[in-house]
């Protein structure tokens, strides 16, 4: 399944009935060395674009917003001891959490990879 992106630099990829969420490679690069990821609590329900988690780096602290609505069913525990995984692979092993109960129609409000790349060119 394809990744979809927000203008705040989160990504979401559907995996069956669940959505995997993280921050984009661009966001990880802009933040610099990630020092801490505030993971959401299992069971937390979020609406699209609500604050989902937090992330801190040597440069800044930033909120991570939910690209789609859903309920947190899994978090990437590895990030508690190794937040640098986000720098090493923000769109792969550095994922933040998984959501369930996702309304796939919300993906229409997001950017596909090509549209996100074009958006980044304009920044």
């Amino acid at each position: 399944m394809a990744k979809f992106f927000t203008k705040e630099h989160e990504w979401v990829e559907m995996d069956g009935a669940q959505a995997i969420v993280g921050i984009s490679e661009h966001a990880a690069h802009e933040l610099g060395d990630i020092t801490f990821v505030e993971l959401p609590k299992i069971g937390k329900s979020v609406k699209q674009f609500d604050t989902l988690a937090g992330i801190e780096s040597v440069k800044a602290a930033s909120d991570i917003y939910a690209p789609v609505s859903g309920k947190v069913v899994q978090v990437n525990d590895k990030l508690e001891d190794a937040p640098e995984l986000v720098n090493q692979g923000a769109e792969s092993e550095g994922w933040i959490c998984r959501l369930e109960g996702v309304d796939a129609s919300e993906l229409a409000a997001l950017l596909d990879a090509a549209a996100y790349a074009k958006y980044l060119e304009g920044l």
Side-chain angles (χ1 to χ4, degrees), residues 18-65:
Q18 293 186 349
I20 307 167
V21 175
I23 68 167
S24 70
E25 296 285 352
H26 171 82
H29 178 75
E30 289 293 306
L31 283 167
D33 293 335
I34 307 291
T35 55
F36 177 73
V37 178
E38 180 190 351
L39 295 168
K41 293 196 178 350
I42 302 283
K44 175 179 181 170
S45 290
V46 290
K47 297 280 186 217
Q48 189 174 34
F49 307 127
D50 279 357
T51 301
L52 177 63
I55 193 161
E56 296 177 15
S57 72
V58 293
K59 292 184 184 177
S62 184
D63 287 333
I64 298 171
Y65 301 99

Side-chain angles (χ1 to χ4, degrees), residues 2 4 9 19 38 46 48 52 56-58 75 83 86 88 91 94 96 100-102 114 116 120:
F4 292 88
H9 313 292
E38 180 190 351
V46 290
Q48 189 174 34
L52 177 63
E56 296 177 15
S57 72
V58 293
V75 296
V86 176
Q88 294 164 11
E91 295 178 28
I96 305 297
E100 72 175 14
V102 172
Y116 181 66
L120 293 179

Side-chain angles (χ1 to χ4, degrees), residues 90-123:
E91 295 178 28
S92 54
E93 70 265 19
W95 60 277
I96 305 297
C97 68
R98 285 176 168 261
L99 303 174
E100 72 175 14
V102 172
D103 179 353
S105 71
E106 290 182 342
L107 297 174
L110 306 177
L111 305 169
D112 65 17
Y116 181 66
K118 192 168 182 70
Y119 172 71
L120 293 179
E121 287 173 13
L123 294 183

